[in-house]
Amino acid sequence: MANADLSWIDYDSQHVWHPYTNIKNPTPAFPVKNASGCTIELQTGEVLVDGMASWWSAIHGYNHPRLNEAIKIQLESMAHVMFGGLTHRPATELVQKLIELTPGCLDHVFLSDSGSVAVEVALKMAMQYSSSVYKSSVKQKILTIRGGYHGDTFGAMSVCDPITGMHSLFTSVLPRQIFVDRPKTKFDGIWDESDFEQFETVLSKRRREICAVILEPIVQGAGGMYFYHPTYLKRVREACDRNDVLLIADEIATGFGRTGKLFACEHADIAPDILCVGKSLTGGYMSLAATLCNERVASGISSGDPGLFMHGPTFMGNPLACACAKASIDLLIASDWQKNVLRIENHLSSGLEIMNQLKSVKSTRVLGAIGVVELHQPVDMHLIGAEFVKQGIWVRPFGTLVYVMPPFCINNAELQSLVNGIGLVVSELD
Ligand code: PMP
């Protein structure tokens, strides 16, 4: 459109708070005109290959006809109704899908509106379970591993890594949880039993204080993009069982195929007691998350006094989001997603591997449709975005980590653009 009014862009930079930014000296936010397939078109005309899937979520790419249609059809009957005292088919059908597809027997589902809230719900479930079943006000702590990320609300923050998370800003008000070192053995390394000793010791010593363990299975995302060995996760499950402690798996980033399995827990062939999903649940279209739990947790909470689970968001079970999520899951399951994720994994592996020769690069790693280039020095967030835009790609690093997790619909030419663009930008840092 000629002479379109773009004054909103200036207004945005002065008034709109973007994620993790200084409102008085913000890092650039590039204005988007539209997005479709695996590309994002800027107002300034550049068309970028998307490496981020909007933070793990847009697995089918943007503007997908099937997801658009699901929302339009749902909109014809209702956009939203409260979930207290009312129910509807889109929510029930989605819940049925989630129960069918997730590992183990996670038969009860609490819908909420974002990943952080799904984590709060999981923590509250574990704490309410503990007070109902053990009648103890002591067994309320959460054990987790360093290097984790679980969201930005207070409960979630309390289990994020104490250094890379935001603990120092909120020390006086954050609940104090229990941390052990993250596993040393990498995903494809040789398992070393001593890697589990610290976890085992702390859990068995403090089991009377700990109601649950929370972790991101296999892939620690925003806390460091680290991939650890499946046997560690297996040992965690066994130790939780031995010590009467619940296991919460946060699959908000890893769920729905991203790591090459539908859920990352499957790499270790385990099922958690409580599972959080979000992000790609709706194919990245709308904000929706879910916390699933097994019969033990559901009956434990219900047997307490008053037996009600004390949470109820206004937009719980939003019908538009549920209809979209069901369509997204149907689309994923009907596709040959495993082969496709493997194609992305192979392409990223060979493309990123050679960057180990660059001086600025510390290491590279790939798992499923996730590729990481770890640098020796943190990038300059005020400058780096524009460098990637110049290369025609959308990549948003943090700290020393340049990483991609593209939509699964990315083709090989687009993948190669990502690899070439990252290579060029990173080589300029040498
Ligand atoms: N858990 C994990 C593993 C995440 O990666 C994130 C988001 N980055 C969250 C929880 C929080 O989700 P949300 O941003 O939707 O609140």
Side-chain angles (χ1 to χ4, degrees):
M1 206 194 318
N3 301 322
D5 176 12
L6 298 180
S7 58
W8 63 269
I9 300 172
D10 266 349
Y11 193 88
D12 179 287
S13 68
Q14 289 165 43
H15 299 281
V16 181
W17 226 315
H18 285 263
Y20 313 108
T21 51
N22 181 332
I23 189 80
K24 297 296 175 188
N25 181 23
T27 50
F30 299 91
V32 176
K33 190 170 170 197
N34 57 50
S36 76
C38 195
T39 55
I40 295 174
E41 185 186 352
L42 300 185
Q43 287 288 354
T44 38
E46 296 94 334
V47 177
L48 312 177
V49 173
D50 178 34
M52 304 306 290
S54 285
W55 278 336
W56 313 82
S57 61
I59 48 174
H60 307 296
Y62 303 93
N63 208 0
H64 195 289
R66 292 274 292 279
L67 301 188
N68 292 1
E69 191 196 3
I71 296 169
K72 280 183 199 151
I73 291 172
Q74 180 52 43
L75 190 56
E76 294 295 319
S77 55
M78 64 184 149
H80 185 68
V81 288
M82 64 186 281
F83 214 47
L86 298 175
T87 195
H88 45 77
R89 201 169 170 149
T92 313
E93 286 185 349
L94 172 63
V95 161
Q96 195 176 354
K97 276 259 144 353
L98 290 174
I99 290 172
E100 276 166 24
L101 292 176
T102 49
C105 299
L106 301 168
D107 283 343
H108 302 278
V109 182
F110 192 98
L111 298 168
S112 60
D113 27 25
S114 75
S116 301
V117 175
V119 169
E120 297 293 330
V121 167
L123 299 176
K124 281 169 85 170
M125 278 182 178
M127 290 169 188
Q128 251 192 269
Y129 170 86
S130 189
S131 50
S132 296
V133 171
Y134 304 107
K135 315 277 181 243
S136 151
S137 56
V138 176
K139 199 173 165 66
Q140 292 288 315
K141 291 232 176 272
I142 308 292
L143 171 64
T144 189
I145 52 181
R146 291 179 194 275
Y149 176 80
H150 298 282
D152 294 344
T153 50
F154 277 87
M157 266 199 296
S158 78
V159 286
C160 289
D161 183 84
I163 310 291
T164 60
M166 288 157 278
H167 288 223
S168 58
L169 282 174
F170 302 104
T171 317
S172 58
V173 284
L174 274 186
R176 276 175 204 269
Q177 311 294 11
I178 303 171
F179 291 85
V180 294
D181 293 339
R182 73 177 190 192
K184 288 187 191 63
T185 319
K186 295 186 178 147
F187 181 80
D188 49 6
I190 296 169
W191 173 246
D192 172 1
E193 215 51 66
S194 70
D195 207 5
F196 193 64
E197 277 168 10
Q198 191 192 21
F199 188 102
E200 176 81 60
T201 310
V202 173
L203 184 63
S204 56
K205 239 193 205 156
R206 302 186 69 174
R207 54 183 293 191
R208 282 182 190 78
E209 290 167 73
I210 298 170
C211 63
V213 168
I214 188 168
L215 43 69
E216 295 152 278
I218 307 297
V219 174
Q220 289 189 303
M225 300 301 293
Y226 180 68
F227 312 150
Y228 63 85
H229 201 281
T231 304
Y232 188 91
L233 189 53
K234 242 187 222 304
R235 296 286 180 268
V236 169
R237 176 70 272 182
E238 292 158 3
C240 285
D241 289 341
R242 272 198 307 281
N243 289 284
D244 229 350
V245 162
L246 298 174
L247 175 58
I248 304 169
D250 176 351
E251 293 241 22
I252 289 161
T254 51
F256 305 104
R258 179 58 65 181
T259 68
K261 302 277 186 191
L262 199 53
F263 293 94
C265 282
E266 293 169 24
H267 287 285
D269 204 14
I270 62 122
D273 299 294
I274 301 174
L275 174 76
C276 304
V277 293
K279 288 188 183 279
S280 61
L281 173 60
T282 59
Y285 260 54
M286 353 199 30
S287 193
L288 183 74
T291 308
L292 294 87
C293 73
N294 59 18
E295 186 55 38
R296 173 186 173 194
V297 175
S299 320
I301 293 170
S302 308
S303 68
D305 184 15
L308 317 173
F309 180 60
M310 294 311 287
H311 210 93
T314 304
F315 289 101
M316 184 167 179
N318 174 258
L320 291 174
C322 289
C324 183
K326 176 165 177 293
S328 173
I329 295 172
D330 286 344
L331 207 53
L332 181 69
I333 299 304
S335 72
D336 200 350
W337 63 268
Q338 258 166 319
K339 194 167 156 209
N340 200 24
V341 169
L342 185 63
R343 170 185 64 87
I344 298 170
E345 181 176 67
N346 289 337
H347 201 120
L348 288 176
S349 295
S350 57
L352 300 186
E353 166 83 55
I354 44 170
M355 293 182 203
N356 282 298
Q357 294 163 3
L358 298 171
K359 273 207 265 358
S360 54
V361 172
K362 188 174 169 198
S363 63
T364 63
R365 50 194 174 270
V366 174
L367 178 66
I370 312 166
V372 184
V373 179
E374 185 166 353
L375 308 174
H376 289 291
Q377 300 294 330
V379 298
D380 183 338
M381 292 299 285
H382 283 269
L383 304 177
I384 197 93
E387 295 303 314
F388 287 119
V389 168
K390 255 192 238 160
Q391 298 303 326
I393 61 176
W394 178 237
V395 178
R396 185 167 168 85
F398 66 85
T400 55
L401 298 164
V402 177
Y403 63 105
V404 287
M405 63 297 235
F408 298 166
C409 63
I410 192 166
N411 64 35
N412 288 343
E414 289 166 330
L415 268 171
Q416 196 51 42
S417 302
L418 282 184
V419 167
N420 293 346
I422 292 171
L424 271 167
V425 171
V426 168
S427 65
E428 278 162 17
L429 301 173
D430 272 3

